[in-house]
Structure formats: C-alpha cells, structure tokens
Amino acid sequence: MPNFRAIALIRLLFLLALAISSRVNATEYKVEEVEFLSQNVKLSGALVFPEKVTLRAAVVFVHGSGKQTRNLRLAESLASHGIATLVYDKRGVGQSGGSYESDQSVSGHNISLLADDAAAALNLLRHHPRIERVPVGLSGISQAGWIVPLAAERSKSADFLVLWSAPVCKVSEEDIYSKHTNDRDSDSRPTFAKALAARTQKYIWPGFLGKDTDPNESLSKLKIPGLWIFGDRDGSIPVDLSIQNLKKLGAINKDYVYVLFSGYGHNNMSETLLTAVDWIRRVTPQAR
C-alpha cells in the first residue's frame, strides 16, 4: 500500500527545490534586448549580464554556418562566469532583418557582410554604459573563423579573440577537406595533405563566389591575444593545417595560442567552455 504522506512530502520537497532553483537562475544573469544597424539593416539580439559575480569581460558571439538565432544558453553560461555576452539572430533569421544567404554563404561578399554585422555588434558592446571599462572581445565557432578576424581588423576595438573549431585557412582549403570527410567527425581524422592527395580532379575556386577568404591576412595584422580551441576528431575543418598556420602566425603575434582536445569533434563548446573562460580571465585585466 503506497505511503501517501511520504509521496506528498516528496512532492512538496520537489516543488520547493524547483522554486529555489528558479529564483537562483533568475538572479544569476540579466537579459537586455538590443537592436543595432549594420549596412542599413536592423539586427536583433540580447545582451546577457552577470548579476551574482563580478563582470570581468564581455564578448560578441558570432555564429557558424546555417540559420542561427541568438545562443542564449551559451550567453547565460558565460555570464555565470563573469563574462557579459552579446548574442544575436543572424541577418534574415529570427527577429533580424535583411536576407539570409544560403546558396553562397561562403562567398567573399557574404563573409564580408557577416563581418560587418559582427563589427557593428562589437561597436554596440564597446559603447554600452555597463561595459565602458571592461575588456571586450569577439568569439565564435566554425564559419566564424573567417568572419571574426575580418571583423576585428575592421573594428579595431577588440581586445581579444576566442574561437572554437575555426578554420585558420582559406575557404577553398576547408572545402577540399570537408568534401573528403563528408563533414563527419572521426577517430581516424585524415590530414589536409591526405585529403588533397585523394582528389581526382584539380580544385578550382568558383569565380562567382568572389574572394577566397583567407583569415591569415587579417590575423597577421592584429596585435591582440587569440585562443583557438580544436577537437582532434573534427571532420569539418583541417585542424592540422589550421595549427600549422597558427604556428607561423606565432612569429608575428606570440599571443596567438591554441588547445587541441583529444576525443572531441567539431561541436565541443559545452565541453571546453571553462578552458575559454580561464584564458579570458588570464589575458584580460579587470578594468581597462
């Protein structure tokens, strides 16, 4: 026969725990809806501030490919560690205006346009009254590896960069690699040289896509710290080529560093978030 008093007590304790949890979560961060203009298009997003810990830094998060809306979950996680985060709906997606480019998302024109969007978001962050004396940076994943360096070069106001699974190579080189692997993470991830050698036809960059974006061009001009986080199972970008290029860039900027995690694939932000947080704390002072 069921013990109804025990069941009632369990339900009461559960509801009490839920109420306490809701109150704690509600006070860990504050969400402020924001809008900003980029190339005469209004983009919509949210700025998430920490409420229970000291504000140490602030970042703009730039999406990878696809129809992406604001990543509030990431912003809330970063806020819990004292990092305010601006996340926004990609142009043509969610509440943002403009047109989403799907067919030619890696064209030189589209990469440049998305870099302007990221620079506009950074400008909003830099001039927000709560962040005036806090270091600000650009962060992102995957396709952001081409967008963020260009945005940082144009804005000239980023204090640091943090990138997950971001190609440090030309768009064409990533295309060669991802076509060979079918974008599949694997324990036996091939090298870029192997992917290139496996081609049966010479790769020709389509002229209609415009510039074959190379992030090394912008990264060679920047004088700010940068962190790249990779997983050794990543089948979407040529990690080995990206690391080779970062080592070359290290001769120009010794503050470019990378971490290669064993056992992680392309989407590894949740598993490696604390690595990014720790690095941001170490390279940024508490106040400008």
Side-chain angles (χ1 to χ4, degrees):
M1 185 173 180
N3 188 329
F4 291 106
R5 291 183 62 186
I7 293 173
L9 180 59
I10 291 172
R11 286 179 177 172
L12 179 61
L13 291 174
F14 173 77
L15 292 172
L16 180 61
L18 185 63
I20 293 173
S21 175
S22 298
R23 289 183 62 189
V24 169
N25 290 335
T27 57
E28 281 185 352
Y29 50 81
K30 178 182 178 181
V31 180
E32 177 184 324
E33 296 291 321
V34 296
E35 290 183 338
F36 56 96
L37 288 177
S38 175
Q39 296 291 336
N40 297 317
V41 169
K42 184 181 292 185
L43 302 180
S44 179
L47 185 48
V48 183
F49 289 100
E51 288 291 291
K52 298 183 69 175
V53 295
T54 302
L55 177 62
R56 296 290 302 268
V59 297
V60 171
F61 178 75
V62 180
H63 294 295
S65 60
K67 287 190 172 184
Q68 306 287 345
T69 55
R70 65 196 73 178
N71 191 336
L72 282 172
R73 183 175 180 181
L74 172 67
E76 292 163 1
S77 295
L78 288 170
S80 69
H81 294 286
I83 302 171
T85 307
L86 196 162
V87 289
Y88 58 97
D89 300 336
K90 188 179 287 189
R91 61 169 50 231
V93 182
Q95 298 176 42
S96 287
S99 300
Y100 169 74
E101 178 58 68
S102 58
D103 295 333
Q104 299 180 16
S105 64
V106 294
S107 69
H109 171 73
N110 194 54
I111 294 295
S112 178
L113 188 59
L114 296 177
D116 284 342
D117 294 348
L122 184 65
N123 183 62
L124 183 153
L125 193 64
R126 170 65 80 190
H127 293 96
H128 192 284
R130 287 190 64 177
I131 303 176
E132 286 181 338
R133 298 185 60 80
V134 174
V136 299
L138 286 163
S139 65
I141 185 171
S142 194
Q143 189 186 63
W146 299 309
I147 299 167
V148 163
L150 191 56
E153 180 189 358
R154 290 178 179 176
S155 69
K156 295 180 173 60
S157 61
D159 294 315
F160 61 90
L161 311 176
V162 177
L163 289 159
W164 283 271
S165 304
V168 189
C169 63
K170 294 180 179 180
V171 175
S172 59
E173 292 170 325
E174 186 276 340
D175 192 35
I176 290 170
Y177 188 79
S178 61
K179 277 186 169 62
H180 178 70
T181 61
N182 292 316
D183 279 321
R184 293 176 181 171
D185 292 344
S186 170
D187 289 331
S188 56
R189 176 181 51 82
T191 63
F192 174 74
K194 183 176 180 180
L196 183 61
R199 294 191 61 82
T200 57
Q201 293 182 339
K202 182 179 179 180
Y203 183 93
I204 299 175
W205 175 254
F208 64 84
L209 290 179
K211 181 178 175 60
D212 181 8
T213 303
D214 183 356
N216 291 282
E217 294 176 3
S218 296
L219 292 171
S220 64
K221 302 172 185 175
L222 298 175
K223 306 299 181 184
I224 57 177
L227 170 67
W228 283 257
I229 298 175
F230 301 109
D232 68 351
R233 297 184 72 251
D234 193 336
S236 294
I237 68 164
V239 172
D240 66 311
L241 178 61
S242 296
I243 290 176
Q244 289 173 25
N245 287 333
L246 280 173
K247 288 180 177 179
K248 293 176 183 177
L249 287 166
I252 302 172
N253 185 343
K254 63 180 178 59
D255 292 322
Y256 287 159
V257 297
Y258 71 89
V259 181
L260 177 62
F261 280 93
S262 176
Y264 292 158
H266 190 67
N267 296 310
N268 58 57
M269 284 197 303
S270 59
E271 296 91 344
T272 64
L273 186 68
L274 291 181
T275 296
V277 168
D278 179 65
W279 180 83
I280 291 172
R281 286 176 172 172
R282 285 189 288 110
V283 302
T284 57
Q286 281 191 295
R288 290 180 61 80

